Amino acid sequence: DWKARYFLGLIYWGLRRADDARRVFGECADQPDYAPAYISRAYLNRETDPARALADYQRAQTIGKDDWRNWYHLASYYGTRGMHDKALDLARQAAALFPKQDLIRILLARTLLNSGLYQECYAQLANATILPFEGQRDVHHMFVDCQLAMAIEEMKRANWTRAIAHVNGAR
């Protein structure tokens, strides 16, 4: 049964024995029918085996389509790997399926920003009420980055009034 190996892998991971956790999670192969097992293995393999990590994130999303976390992890992975089109497509789908989930809304805004869709990113952030949690500041930084990117675009068009408005908005 894969469950004993999965729990042993979690124990190794908790003891900071990542190599042992990777080995034990690998022994589970494709037996788990539990998305967090694939998310855990993917997280540990992000740097050492990116192809395996991607396959595990995709498997988790396939198994657990009804859980926003699986969509979030896959889209985030695409984004960190520079696959912004795939990340944006997945984030848009997730936002439609889970409209009240703040982390999905943040993910969508981030993928819009990374895709150069600054107006859409701004609209997403301007219409959101997202409460920060324990030191989290990335949404504020994303809002500032979005405003500054829009200011730069307005400067390229020589629309100085709007550029200044965006710079002031970034403050």
Side-chain angles (χ1 to χ4, degrees), residues 22 25-26 29-30 35-62 70 72-78 80-81 83 90:
R22 262 191 288 281
F25 282 155
D30 287 335
Y38 294 101
I39 296 293
S40 299
R41 186 168 66 189
Y43 187 85
L44 282 172
N45 286 322
R46 290 174 310 175
E47 302 304 321
T48 58
D49 192 353
R52 176 65 184 257
L54 177 58
D56 282 341
Y57 282 128
Q58 290 170 332
R59 177 102 167 125
Q61 193 264 343
T62 300
N70 302 319
Y72 176 85
H73 287 298
L74 179 57
S76 293
Y77 185 77
Y78 281 141
T80 60
R81 293 293 175 190
M83 297 182 254
L90 216 58

Side-chain angles (χ1 to χ4, degrees), residues 86-107:
K86 288 183 178 185
L88 180 58
D89 182 47
L90 216 58
R92 285 185 196 263
Q93 290 177 48
L97 290 171
F98 311 102
K100 295 184 181 195
Q101 202 47 251
D102 284 345
L103 287 178
I104 293 293
R105 293 167 65 184
I106 294 168
L107 172 70

Side-chain angles (χ1 to χ4, degrees), residues 87-130:
L88 180 58
D89 182 47
L90 216 58
R92 285 185 196 263
Q93 290 177 48
L97 290 171
F98 311 102
K100 295 184 181 195
Q101 202 47 251
D102 284 345
L103 287 178
I104 293 293
R105 293 167 65 184
I106 294 168
L107 172 70
L108 177 58
R110 183 173 292 113
T111 58
L112 289 166
L113 181 65
N114 291 339
S115 298
L117 301 171
Y118 307 123
Q119 292 293 334
E120 286 184 62
C121 176
Y122 178 76
Q124 187 71 24
L125 292 172
N127 295 320
T129 301
I130 300 170

Side-chain angles (χ1 to χ4, degrees), residues 3 12 33 35 38 64 70-71 80 85 87 97 104 108 114 117 133 139 141 152 160 166:
K3 291 175 187 158
Y12 281 143
D33 56 354
Y38 294 101
N70 302 319
W71 292 80
T80 60
D85 292 340
L97 290 171
I104 293 293
L108 177 58
N114 291 339
L117 301 171
F133 54 88
V139 176
H141 292 300
I152 291 170
W160 307 112
H166 287 302

